[in-house]
């Protein structure tokens, strides 16, 4: 075996100066070889980003490295002076970040920002710097690089910005690139482009990549080896294939089991009870003991050692202690899989289950210009969407950011006044109703938002947040009975009724989303629009929320419009799917029909770009070029034609009519013919 | 971008018209008969009628308004009742000293506040930061009517370095500029500090450091360029307010500026002069604010392009 490129030993980082500093990275060992992609996997707060910032020596002011060694090649980074470290940073060791939107300086052109990095590390003449900047932009696949150097970050799309970040990182010819959640803020088709780019660049330059992510799918598709982090420590390392075949640590197993998928439809997802312990204390035993199903007495009072499993694998868990002789026990294959995918339930077309029908719904926003605010055009956010919501059924509205799915959800509930179309709830037209006449319907139509942190008033008690709807709609105007209802609702969503007397900030993300669900349920709605309710949550917490939503639907017969970009959630939860592109539904049908046999080229590309854990299920990624066009200037003809791999002449002129494929299936594509 | 500039100028023009209208109405909004107020209670009816006719107050409101606008367009601001001289001449005498004092005070404030705020932000929570913010607190708390006389006492009377009052040469500008500038510097330094601190916490600062840039380059190339916007806004507002005349400071130092002229005009109920002075002050304020807005366009590419 060759010398590793990066060798980290006993690395420990503390944050905070008080009596109880937080040990965000605790005695961490790691080694990486040239040309390798090593993934650091973990949920939020486990210390993975802090590990990256420690390696870069870019900790926040209150952070300090208290022990350990970081060797990059033959340089010990921790003993370098700050001035010498600066030559390594952005040179041999470069980093890209999660949010390309905020990671580029808005007032400098992208050319200047890349040139700066070139000058620091390669200090060439002016012309050479310019030439190198263009070369770097070309290397990361930015079209027309010569023109683009003079552009500012806000003129580029998210994916393009991340490419600029990568170009900047490449400026110093790095041997190791740290990529901290590089695609988390991007749509799946763009994610596929960026991951592909990183792979290509790695092959050309032989650099190593330390990929920090929470996404098991991304790890499965792009990493060679991985380490799982929990509470500041590495708890398992393995080659990626071995890991997904047989995760060894109980935490790793739970993470895998909590991933939603079509196979798990019939049952509930595994959840990890409790939460990550605070890191400002001294641990006696295993940090995962309180949440572990396989917990033993020894786990509570003795810290587990690092045990080799086989080859390069290792686990920090007492189950693998040879002295305890349990290893055979713990190598059992992952919990029994359901025998087969549950048969997809037939949708009853009987009229009494139909709750809401939207026809040709349009939401256009005027673009105003000038002193007199004259209207110069329209953003066609939603441009003719038709859909049905049925009791006890979930319709997933799927699409990438900017496709209009959230606006469609709000328009449906009349939270935004639609421009045109019809929304009938139990046969009654909701379009154009005054606030007062809309009020009786509000009770039946509720919404849960994406961000559980921003969607509750921080100065209101939880009990008042949940009870407010009961009061406003005069369902329960008296305080005492209202609070009894609130207590029942909290129990219903699996929270302690005492939560009513506390403030939202006292709860974790998953708990807050439960509170938001309780708030929506308070008025006993029949339809809930769920707008990306789990996309701000970790997978193990997401599993809790998905389980809860599924239970509630079965018990209360709720209809969900589930707005999401996450295909695995759709596969697990939805009965029907509608795929949106640029304000219109391009394909819809039963979930098994659409996911197993997508017919629209966009649906196919979208599904192929989703990273999957199961290697057998992997499809060839259909690469889409470019970004989604602006909904203020949709392309002529089929909106998708400029990016479509199957484009034919007619696509450039005419928007395709609906083609019906069977009772439940519709596609808008010239290449799809009925029959 | 051109459209944006034109829009801004167009809306400024509308505000100008609004200001003119309000100033015109000023005389009619006074409770009771303006002529009676101007001449006092014991005035003879004949004098009242003469003044009314000379001010044109005996004609219909619409006609008065049109005439007023026509005269404004010819820069004819009327005649001061008290001084019996063209109002335009009186204002012209005073605008120079006011500009002089405003620019000196603001320049002083900027020179103190920007380095102070930046250094404080760089050493957040440290001794330098606490010292700078202590000074800022003190500077904002000291009233000009106290600081002015103290400065006169020390530098003019005891040390004899500067004239006590009036406007004779550069030396006489020093004390009023310090008096006015201290308070401005105090507020501006706080704004600079918080603006720089906010920017230093941004993701792109981390990106700049990850490139291997040193602290000086990070501060000057990346942080300050972004911190400018709120600072510019405040400077613009402060400059506008200074043009309105620093009445207290001008009074303390017997500085012949617009502020003291306005006070005199109000005291002598010299309506044409009050109207013109208010108009001039409003328009200067508007001019400075419009200029600040247009500066944004130069500073921020998100407004300039795209």
């Amino acid at each position: 075996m060759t010398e590793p490129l990066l060798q980290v030993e006993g690395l420990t980082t503390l944050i905070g100066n008080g009596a109880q500093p937080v040990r965000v990275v605790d005695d961490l060992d790691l080694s990486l070889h040239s040309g390798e992609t090593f993934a650091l996997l973990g949920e939020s707060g486990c210390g993975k980003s802090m590990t990256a910032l420690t390696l870069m020596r870019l900790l926040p002011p209150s952070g300090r490295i208290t022990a350990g060694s970081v060797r990059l090649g033959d340089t010990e980074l921790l003993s370098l002076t700050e001035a010498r470290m600066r030559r390594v940073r952005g040179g041999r060791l470069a980093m890209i970040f999660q949010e390309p939107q905020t990671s580029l300086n808005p007032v400098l052109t992208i050319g200047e920002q890349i040139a700066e990095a070139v000058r620091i590390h390669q200090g060439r003449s002016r012309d050479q710097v310019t030439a190198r900047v263009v070369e770097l932009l070309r290397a990361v696949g930015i079209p027309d690089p010569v023109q683009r150097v003079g552009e500012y970050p806000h003129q580029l799309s998210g994916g393009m910005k991340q490419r600029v970040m990568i170009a900047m990182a490449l400026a110093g010819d790095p041997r190791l690139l740290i990529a901290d959640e590089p695609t988390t803020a991007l749509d799946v088709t763009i994610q596929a482009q960026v991951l592909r780019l990183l792979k290509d660049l790695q092959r050309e330059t032989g650099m190593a990549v330390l990929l920090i992510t929470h996404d098991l799918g991304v790890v499965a598709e792009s990493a060679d080896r991985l380490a799982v982090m929990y509470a500041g420590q590495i708890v398992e390392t393995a080659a990626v294939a071995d890991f997904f075949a047989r995760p060894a640590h109980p935490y790793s197993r739970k993470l895998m089991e909590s991933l939603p998928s079509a196979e798990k439809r019939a049952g509930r997802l595994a959840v990890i009870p409790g939460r990550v312990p605070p890191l400002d204390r001294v641990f006696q035993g295993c940090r995962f003991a309180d949440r572990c199903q396989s917990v033993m007495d020894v786990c509570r009072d003795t810290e587990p050692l690092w045990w080799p499993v086989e080859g390069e694998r290792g686990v920090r868990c007492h189950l693998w202690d040879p002295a305890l002789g349990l290893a055979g026990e713990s190598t059992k294959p992952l919990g029994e899989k359901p025998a087969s995918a549950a048969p997809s339930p037939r949708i009853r077309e009987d009229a009494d289950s139909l709750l809401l029908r939207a026809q040709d719904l349009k939401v256009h926003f005027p673009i105003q210009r000038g002193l007199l605010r004259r209207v110069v055009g329209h953003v066609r956010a939603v441009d003719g969407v038709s859909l049905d919501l049925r009791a006890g059924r979930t319709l997933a509205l799927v699409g990438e950011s900017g496709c209009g799915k959230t606006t469609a959800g709000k328009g449906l509930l009349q939270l935004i006044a639609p421009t045109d179309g019809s929304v009938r709830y139990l046969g009654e037209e909701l379009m154009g109703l005054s606030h007062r006449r809309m009020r009786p319907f509000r009770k039946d139509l509720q919404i849960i938002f994406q961000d559980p942190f921003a969607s509750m008033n921080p100065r209101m008690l939880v009990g008042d947040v949940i009870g407010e709807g009961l009061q406003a709609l005069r369902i329960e105007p008296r305080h005492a009975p209202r609070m009894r209802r609130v207590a029942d609702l909290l129990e219903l969503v699996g929270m302690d009724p005492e939560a009513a007397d506390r403030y939202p900030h006292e709860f974790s993300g998953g708990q807050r989303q439960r509170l938001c669900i309780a708030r929506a349920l308070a008025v006993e709605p029949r339809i809930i629009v769920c707008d990306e309710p789990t996309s701000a949550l970790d997978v193990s917490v997401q599993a809790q929320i998905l389980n809860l939503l599924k239970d509630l639907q079965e018990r209360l017969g709720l209809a969900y419009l589930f707005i999401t970009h996450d295909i695995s959630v759709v596969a697990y939860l939805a009965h029907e799917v509608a795929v949106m592109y640029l304000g219109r539904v391009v394909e819809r049908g039963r979930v098994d029909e659409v996911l197993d046999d997508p017919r629209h080229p966009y649906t196919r590309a979208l599904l192929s770009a989703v990273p999957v854990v199961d290697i057998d299920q992997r499809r060839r990624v259909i690469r889409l070029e470019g970004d989604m066009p602006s909904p203020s200037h949709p392309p002529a003809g089929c909106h998708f034609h400029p990016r479509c791999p199957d484009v034919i002449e007619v696509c450039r002129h005419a928007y395709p009519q609906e083609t019906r494929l069977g009772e439940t299936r519709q596609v808008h594509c010239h290449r799809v013919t009925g029959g | 971008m051109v459209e944006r500039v034109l829009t801004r100028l167009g809306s400024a023009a509308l505000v100008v018209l609004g200001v003119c209208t309000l100033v015109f109405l000023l005389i009619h909004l006074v409770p009771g008969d303006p002529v009676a107020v101007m001449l006092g209670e014991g005035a003879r009816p004949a004098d009242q009628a003469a003044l009314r006719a000379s001010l044109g107050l005996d004609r219909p409101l619409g006609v008065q308004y049109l005439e007023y606008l026509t005269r404004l367009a010819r820069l004819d601001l009327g005649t001061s009742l008290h001084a019996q001289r063209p109002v335009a001449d009186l204002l012209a005498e005073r605008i120079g000293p006011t500009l002089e004092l405003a620019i000196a005070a603001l320049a002083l404030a900027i020179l103190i506040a920007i380095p102070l705020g930046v250094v404080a932000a760089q050493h957040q929570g440290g001794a330098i930061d606490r010292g700078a913010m202590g000074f800022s607190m003190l500077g904002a708390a000291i009233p000009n009517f106290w600081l002015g006389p103290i400065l006169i006492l020390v530098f003019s009377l005891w040390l004899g370095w500067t004239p006590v009052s009036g406007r004779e040469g550069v030396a006489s500008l020093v004390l009023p500029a310090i008096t006015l500038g201290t308070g401005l510097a105090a507020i501006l330094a706080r704004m600079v500090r918080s603006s720089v601190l906010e920017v230093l916490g941004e993701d792109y600062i981390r990106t700049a450091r990850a490139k291997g840039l040193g602290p000086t380059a990070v501060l000057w190339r990346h942080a300050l360029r972004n911190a400018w916007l709120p600072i510019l806004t405040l400077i613009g507002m402060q400059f506008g307010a200074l043009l309105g005349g620093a009445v207290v400071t001008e009074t303390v130092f017997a500085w012949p500026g617009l502020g003291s002229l306005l006070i005199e005009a109000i005291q002598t109920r010299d309506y044409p002069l009050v109207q013109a002075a208010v108009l001039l002050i409003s328009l200067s304020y508007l001019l400075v604010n419009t200029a600040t807005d247009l500066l944004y366009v130069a500073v921020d590419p998100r407004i300039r392009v795209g």
Side-chain angles (χ1 to χ4, degrees):
Chain A
M1 198 91 205
T2 50
E3 275 289 291
L5 172 70
L6 176 79
Q7 183 83 46
V8 179
E9 276 166 17
L11 191 63
T12 302
T13 301
L14 305 186
I15 299 274
N17 303 315
Q20 286 184 308
V22 181
R23 294 172 86 84
V24 287
V25 180
D26 198 356
D27 195 17
L28 181 121
D29 298 338
L30 203 65
S31 70
L32 249 95
H33 292 88
S34 289
E36 170 181 53
T37 299
F38 188 94
L40 202 52
L41 177 76
E43 297 186 283
S44 48
C46 70
K48 53 193 193 304
S49 287
M50 280 300 164
T51 304
L53 293 177
T54 304
L55 297 180
M56 293 289 285
R57 286 183 45 192
L58 280 178
L59 288 168
S62 68
R64 59 196 186 279
I65 304 165
T66 55
S69 137
V70 177
R71 295 187 68 80
L72 181 68
D74 44 20
T75 315
E76 170 58 54
L77 298 186
L78 298 190
S79 62
L80 292 182
T81 61
E82 173 60 23
R84 301 240 352 245
M85 184 64 204
R86 254 181 250 141
R87 273 191 260 156
V88 176
R89 229 181 258 145
R92 275 182 289 160
L93 176 61
M95 183 164 176
I96 58 175
F97 301 93
Q98 174 168 359
E99 279 288 347
Q101 311 290 351
T102 55
S103 295
L104 288 169
N105 192 328
V107 304
L108 299 176
T109 64
I110 58 169
E112 283 175 75
Q113 298 190 53
I114 299 171
E116 207 172 41
V118 174
R119 274 196 299 269
I120 299 170
H121 297 288
Q122 296 177 333
R124 309 180 200 196
S125 76
R126 219 187 153 119
D127 290 347
Q128 282 172 319
V129 169
T130 314
R132 173 82 174 134
V133 169
V134 172
E135 182 189 318
L136 286 166
L137 286 174
R138 190 167 286 133
V140 297
I142 289 189
D144 309 323
V146 180
Q147 284 79 49
R148 292 283 173 140
V149 287
E151 294 196 351
Y152 289 93
H154 72 274
Q155 295 170 283
L156 305 179
S157 68
M160 284 294 157
K161 280 184 213 163
Q162 195 60 294
R163 285 171 191 263
V164 171
M165 288 295 295
I166 295 172
M168 209 184 291
L170 290 178
D173 288 329
R175 300 312 305 146
L176 172 61
L177 175 68
I178 303 177
D180 187 0
E181 304 268 10
T183 57
T184 306
L186 306 175
D187 283 315
V188 280
T189 57
I190 309 297
Q191 164 169 286
Q193 292 174 1
V194 170
L195 290 177
R196 182 60 189 268
L197 171 68
L198 284 174
K199 264 269 164 300
D200 291 346
L201 290 169
Q202 195 174 10
R203 205 168 32 238
E204 285 163 31
T205 64
M207 66 181 177
V209 173
L210 178 61
L211 178 70
I212 292 172
T213 183
H214 70 282
D215 190 327
L216 287 159
V218 168
V219 173
E221 295 216 340
S222 37
D224 305 310
R225 289 192 300 140
L226 89 166
V228 180
M229 265 191 103
Y230 183 78
Q233 286 183 320
I234 290 182
V235 296
E236 175 166 4
T237 58
V240 163
D242 294 342
F243 177 81
F244 285 100
R246 240 165 354 108
H249 195 281
Y251 174 66
S252 316
R253 294 174 171 216
K254 276 290 187 190
L255 277 184
M256 300 265 281
E257 289 170 18
S258 62
L259 277 183
S261 71
E263 290 79 42
K264 296 176 187 159
R265 271 187 82 95
R268 294 166 61 86
L269 296 170
V271 298
I272 307 178
R275 54 165 127 176
V276 182
L279 299 180
D280 59 353
R281 60 175 77 159
V282 179
F283 289 94
Q284 278 262 310
C286 172
R287 293 167 190 209
F288 188 60
D290 288 342
R291 308 173 72 189
C292 184
Q293 275 192 329
S294 318
V295 63
M296 302 173 289
D297 287 341
V298 63
C299 303
R300 300 209 189 269
D301 35 59
T302 315
E303 189 152 13
L305 297 175
W306 185 252
W307 301 109
V309 177
E310 64 215 338
E312 279 188 74
R313 274 188 102 166
V315 179
R316 189 186 295 278
C317 177
H318 286 300
L319 286 173
W320 295 86
D321 182 348
L324 293 173
L326 294 164
E329 190 79 3
S330 44
T331 46
K332 266 197 319 205
L334 186 63
E336 66 278 19
K337 279 188 179 175
S340 63
S344 188
R346 306 272 337 155
I347 295 162
R348 296 196 313 274
E349 289 278 355
D350 45 316
D352 61 344
S353 74
L354 178 68
L355 293 180
L356 182 137
R357 167 163 285 173
Q359 279 176 309
D360 206 19
L361 187 71
K362 289 182 183 167
V363 183
H364 293 181
F365 298 108
I367 306 168
Q368 294 171 328
R369 281 268 174 77
L371 193 55
L372 304 173
R373 320 294 305 152
R374 79 202 130 85
V375 176
V376 294
H378 284 93
V379 177
R380 301 177 192 327
V382 178
D383 200 25
V385 165
S386 303
L387 41 86
D388 293 346
L389 297 181
R390 290 165 203 282
R393 290 280 174 266
T394 300
L395 169 64
L397 196 55
V398 180
E400 296 181 282
S401 47
C403 73
K405 55 193 192 299
T406 293
T407 310
K410 288 184 176 168
L412 216 61
L413 301 192
Q414 310 292 315
L415 292 173
I416 297 175
T419 314
D420 197 15
S422 151
V423 179
R424 288 181 169 272
Y425 172 67
L426 296 175
E428 295 247 21
E429 180 61 59
L430 301 184
M431 291 280 291
L433 287 188
S434 65
H435 277 287
R436 204 170 54 79
R437 297 202 35 223
M438 185 61 208
R439 240 176 135 152
F441 296 106
R442 293 266 175 236
K443 177 183 135 1
D444 289 1
L445 309 172
Q446 287 293 313
I447 184 164
I448 304 169
F449 299 97
Q450 172 172 4
D451 185 349
F453 292 89
S455 54
M456 268 189 289
N457 186 334
R459 304 210 190 284
M460 277 171 78
L461 288 171
V462 163
D464 294 331
V465 172
I466 296 175
E468 198 177 21
L470 292 170
Q471 192 177 14
L473 296 174
R474 301 199 187 83
I475 297 166
E476 188 52 85
R478 288 164 306 153
H479 184 77
R482 190 165 69 236
M483 286 304 135
R484 278 201 294 279
R485 285 275 285 272
V486 168
D488 292 345
L489 285 161
L490 286 167
E491 297 240 28
L492 184 66
V493 297
M495 299 276 295
D496 191 331
E498 282 171 24
D501 297 322
R502 292 160 66 185
Y503 284 96
H505 73 261
E506 298 176 56
F507 299 92
S508 69
Q511 289 174 319
R512 285 187 205 205
Q513 200 57 294
R514 284 170 189 267
L515 298 176
C516 290
I517 293 172
R519 181 190 54 70
L521 288 176
V523 294
E524 296 178 2
R526 300 185 66 182
I527 293 175
I528 300 182
V529 172
C530 306
D531 187 359
E532 304 255 17
T534 60
S535 60
L537 306 175
D538 282 316
V539 276
S540 67
V541 182
Q542 163 174 288
Q544 299 173 14
I545 299 298
L546 294 180
N547 283 340
L548 174 64
L549 287 171
K550 210 164 183 173
D551 288 349
L552 291 170
Q553 183 168 56
E554 276 160 23
R555 283 164 65 183
L556 308 173
L558 298 168
Y560 293 142
L561 177 67
F562 202 94
I563 297 168
T564 184
H565 65 276
D566 188 334
I567 304 296
S568 60
V569 173
V570 175
Y572 173 71
L573 197 71
H575 302 94
E576 284 175 285
V577 189
V579 180
M580 272 185 89
Y581 188 79
L582 219 57
R584 295 188 184 171
V585 172
V586 294
E587 174 161 11
R588 53 190 289 192
R590 283 203 323 265
V591 66
D592 54 327
E593 292 171 337
V594 176
L595 298 191
D596 296 346
D597 179 26
R599 301 297 296 273
H600 196 284
Y602 175 66
T603 318
R604 285 211 291 260
L606 186 69
L607 293 180
S608 77
V610 177
V612 288
V613 170
D614 193 341
I615 293 156
D616 305 334
Q617 282 192 3
R618 209 165 284 172
R619 341 176 181 221
R620 195 178 60 83
V621 175
I622 302 168
R623 288 179 69 188
L624 287 185
E625 299 303 327
D627 297 301
M628 187 159 25
S630 156
S632 58
H633 297 99
C638 173
H639 290 169
F640 187 58
H641 87 256
R643 302 174 73 195
C644 184
D646 304 330
V647 63
I648 49 175
E649 194 49 34
V650 60
C651 306
R652 300 180 208 280
H653 314 300
Y655 195 84
Q657 291 302 305
E658 176 180 290
T659 307
R660 291 191 79 93
L661 305 166
E663 257 180 83
T664 48
R665 191 89 194 275
Q666 293 116 47
V667 182
H668 288 267
C669 178
H670 291 299
R671 305 278 310 248
V672 176
T673 46
Chain B
M1 172 186 159
V2 175
E3 182 167 350
R4 203 184 158 89
V5 171
L6 289 180
T7 305
R8 190 68 193 83
L9 292 178
S11 74
L14 283 182
V15 176
V16 168
L17 189 67
V19 167
C20 292
T21 310
L22 280 179
V23 166
F24 164 75
L25 289 174
L26 200 64
I27 201 163
H28 300 280
L29 292 175
V30 185
D33 181 1
V35 171
V37 174
M38 274 184 255
L39 292 180
E41 281 172 19
R44 287 177 301 165
D47 290 344
Q48 285 190 353
L51 180 60
R52 188 167 286 125
S54 82
L55 291 178
L57 293 174
D58 49 354
R59 271 168 289 174
L61 201 62
V63 177
Q64 284 183 46
Y65 181 56
L66 283 180
E67 276 190 1
Y68 174 74
L69 289 184
T70 322
R71 277 192 286 121
L72 272 189
R74 283 188 269 120
L75 294 180
D76 174 6
L77 299 173
T79 309
S80 159
L81 300 179
H82 188 68
Q84 293 298 327
R85 291 176 53 201
V87 167
D89 292 357
L90 286 173
L91 290 179
E93 281 168 18
R94 299 297 188 101
I95 188 95
T98 287
L99 267 178
E100 199 177 284
L101 180 57
I103 291 171
L106 196 66
L108 184 74
I110 292 173
L111 283 179
I112 297 173
I114 290 186
L116 197 67
V118 169
V119 172
Q122 275 183 301
H123 301 90
Q124 188 195 3
I128 297 177
D129 184 25
R130 286 201 298 273
M133 288 306 102
F135 161 79
S136 160
M137 184 81 87
L138 198 69
I142 295 178
N144 290 351
F145 61 77
W146 185 82
L147 181 61
I150 292 294
L151 290 176
I152 293 175
L153 187 68
V154 174
F155 293 99
S156 308
L157 299 182
W158 292 353
L159 298 172
W161 290 355
T162 54
V164 174
S165 66
R167 178 168 171 262
E168 290 140 20
V170 180
S172 61
L173 184 61
V174 174
L175 293 188
I178 293 177
T179 307
L180 264 182
T182 306
L184 298 178
I187 297 165
L188 194 58
R190 279 186 174 265
M191 171 64 100
V192 171
R193 175 180 177 273
S194 68
S195 184
V196 170
L197 266 184
E198 194 185 319
V199 171
L200 285 179
E202 295 284 349
D203 287 349
Y204 52 79
I205 296 298
R206 190 182 55 189
T207 307
R209 294 179 62 206
K211 268 185 227 179
L213 283 180
T216 319
V218 169
L219 184 70
W220 288 99
R221 279 184 60 79
H222 289 269
L224 278 184
R225 287 210 197 180
N226 281 284
W228 264 117
L229 283 180
I231 298 173
L232 267 184
T233 312
L234 183 65
I235 290 178
M237 280 165 56
Q238 287 187 335
F239 191 55
L242 283 176
L243 291 181
V247 177
V248 173
T249 308
E250 286 183 4
T251 311
V252 169
F253 290 95
W255 189 263
L258 276 179
S260 44
L261 180 70
L262 181 59
I263 294 295
E264 288 161 29
I266 291 171
Q267 280 166 349
T268 55
R269 301 194 182 92
D270 193 342
Y271 271 84
L273 187 54
V274 172
Q275 273 186 321
V278 169
L279 187 65
L280 181 66
I281 289 168
S282 313
L283 293 186
S284 330
Y285 199 87
L286 181 69
L287 186 74
V288 170
N289 270 300
T290 308
T292 315
D293 277 8
L294 294 181
L295 261 182
Y296 283 178
V297 178
V299 172
D300 192 342
R302 282 164 294 189
I303 304 175
R304 192 166 68 234
V305 245

